[in-house]
Amino acid sequence: MKKKNVAVVMGGYSDEYKVSLKSGQLIYDSLDRDLYNVYKVVILKDEWYFVDDRDQNLPINKADFSVTLESDYKVKFDVCFNIIHGKPGENGELQAYWDTIGQKYTGCGFYQSALTFNKKDTLAVLSKYGIPSAKSVYLRKGDSYNADEIIAELNLPLFVKPNQSGSSLGISKVKVKEDFAKAVDFAFAEDDEILIESFLNGMEVSVGVVDFNGETIVLGITEIVPHKEFFDYEAKYEGASEEITPARIDEETRKKVEEIAKKAYNSLGMSGFSRSEFIIMNGIPYMLEMNTNPGFSPASILPQQAKIYGISIKDLCGNEVQKALQKN
């Protein structure tokens, strides 16, 4: 059987590109070389390039997402393994481009990516399926707002966060009114839309959900114990949190979290890797957001959960490639 060409596509346009490069390296190392010719492709704002076996960078032809090697041999990819966190790989832009040129890729389609990258719209859709979330106020850059009215509606403390940003960038926990305007400006520095959410006083959990061998499964529920006020960028990527898998919850709550996480995944028509964040308060899981291209470095939550579940990284990644190959 002829080996399929798989491009592991990493990088991105946001501050998350460094994490994506680590995630891409793990996937590159894990894919079965008996089945696939595996290549690295890096997408950055100023260049898209292919990394050859001598670590030289060759430009990607954006007309058909191919690369021409020095011998004038053109390489086309049977599948692109998308592991870009943030833009353009997690907000639908890259998927829409690949759809246009007929390139197969892993993970969900452009609509699901665009929807889940928008926290407000995701939570609005999921509310129709009975999935609860925090009370919130939505603002666009330039909107006038009354801090007193918002605080009266949501109460302190509250969270201010960008509506479309990954890795907990631009988030603040506001405890006193004097810090509100600064938090709003901080969030608007990341995005032109922000969400102001009521504080949910409970346990934060991160739930990995994938479709594996034709079945939607919960890989695990990880309890997040931040050493700081909340699970921010430093807590996620610089060790300022404790991540406990499986989470310390009772059986009834575990079943409830698994049920809601799977319901959210299926309701949105998801495919591929996902990691959903919830706050469990009084036994009820409240949805915060869904990541469709979560961190996949060796230290990331999803690979840890897969290991505990008993699925190897090789099988998890191979499953993604096989699904992509079967797409029309």
Side-chain angles (χ1 to χ4, degrees):
M1 186 177 74
K2 189 184 174 190
K3 289 186 188 180
K4 299 294 185 181
N5 290 338
V6 178
V8 180
V9 183
M10 58 191 92
Y13 301 165
S14 74
D15 292 341
E16 298 175 86
Y17 81 92
K18 293 174 187 171
V19 182
S20 173
L21 295 178
K22 290 180 182 176
S23 300
Q25 185 65 49
L26 178 59
I27 290 165
Y28 176 83
D29 292 340
S30 301
L31 283 167
D32 190 341
R33 295 312 196 268
D34 290 336
L35 298 176
Y36 314 116
N37 298 312
V38 187
Y39 306 99
K40 286 185 193 176
V41 172
V42 178
I43 288 182
L44 302 174
K45 261 183 184 169
D46 49 357
E47 61 176 335
W48 293 18
Y49 61 86
F50 171 95
V51 183
D52 72 10
D53 52 13
R54 289 177 292 177
D55 279 341
Q56 292 180 308
N57 299 344
L58 300 171
I60 288 288
N61 181 348
K62 294 182 183 178
D64 61 358
F65 206 75
S66 66
V67 63
T68 302
L69 305 182
E70 288 176 350
S71 57
D72 282 341
Y73 178 72
K74 183 175 177 178
V75 176
K76 279 280 286 160
F77 307 108
D78 296 292
V79 171
C80 288
F81 201 119
N82 176 20
I83 196 61
I84 290 178
H85 315 314
K87 296 179 180 180
E90 202 170 4
N91 68 338
E93 291 176 13
L94 197 56
Q95 291 90 335
Y97 154 72
W98 278 333
D99 285 344
T100 302
I101 63 168
Q103 173 65 60
K104 293 182 177 181
Y105 55 88
T106 62
C108 59
F110 81 91
Y111 173 73
Q112 284 81 5
S113 296
L115 174 63
T116 51
F117 202 67
N118 186 309
K119 296 180 182 74
K120 173 183 74 77
D121 290 352
T122 303
L123 298 175
V125 169
L126 290 176
S127 70
K128 308 297 183 192
Y129 294 92
I131 296 172
S133 58
K135 195 174 180 184
S136 64
V137 171
Y138 167 78
L139 292 178
R140 287 181 183 274
K141 191 172 274 189
D143 285 352
S144 60
Y145 65 87
N146 185 313
D148 290 323
E149 286 179 5
I150 293 171
I151 290 168
E153 184 180 346
L154 301 178
N155 297 318
L156 292 170
L158 52 77
F159 280 99
V160 182
K161 59 177 73 171
N163 187 41
Q164 299 186 82
S165 170
S167 284
S168 301
L169 296 164
I171 297 182
S172 303
K173 184 178 182 181
V174 177
K175 296 177 179 178
V176 293
K177 180 191 165 184
E178 289 72 26
D179 292 339
F180 186 83
K182 185 170 69 175
V184 167
D185 291 342
F186 184 54
F188 274 134
E190 288 291 332
D191 187 25
D192 290 341
E193 307 169 34
I194 68 170
L195 274 184
I196 305 159
E197 291 183 339
S198 62
F199 173 58
L200 297 170
N201 189 12
M203 177 193 289
E204 181 165 354
V205 294
S206 191
V207 188
V209 183
V210 298
D211 48 333
F212 186 77
N213 290 341
E215 183 186 353
T216 301
I217 61 169
V218 173
L219 281 178
I221 302 171
T222 297
E223 179 183 347
I224 307 297
V225 186
H227 298 159
K228 299 175 70 184
E229 282 282 345
F230 61 95
F231 197 42
D232 63 0
Y233 184 92
E234 189 183 344
K236 271 185 180 171
Y237 299 120
E238 295 171 13
S241 69
E242 191 180 353
E243 295 159 7
I244 302 165
T245 310
R248 297 170 295 184
I249 53 178
D250 59 69
E251 186 67 10
E252 184 184 349
T253 306
R254 181 187 65 78
K255 285 180 179 172
K256 203 177 289 183
V257 172
E258 287 188 354
E259 187 182 308
I260 282 190
K262 281 205 266 192
K263 187 177 185 182
Y265 186 96
N266 292 330
S267 298
L268 294 174
M270 280 294 302
S271 177
F273 299 161
S274 82
R275 201 189 68 228
S276 297
E277 317 298 331
F278 295 88
I279 298 285
I280 303 171
M281 191 168 72
N282 302 323
I284 299 170
Y286 290 81
M287 184 93 170
L288 297 178
E289 63 177 329
M290 182 184 288
N291 301 288
T292 57
N293 247 354
F296 208 79
S297 72
S300 297
I301 288 171
L302 205 70
Q304 291 175 30
Q305 290 176 338
K307 187 177 179 182
I308 290 170
Y309 191 91
I311 298 176
S312 69
I313 303 301
K314 179 180 174 183
D315 287 345
L316 197 61
C317 294
N319 180 67
E320 290 303 306
V321 172
Q322 289 306 312
K323 277 188 310 189
L325 286 169
Q326 289 158 16
K327 287 179 185 174
N328 294 330

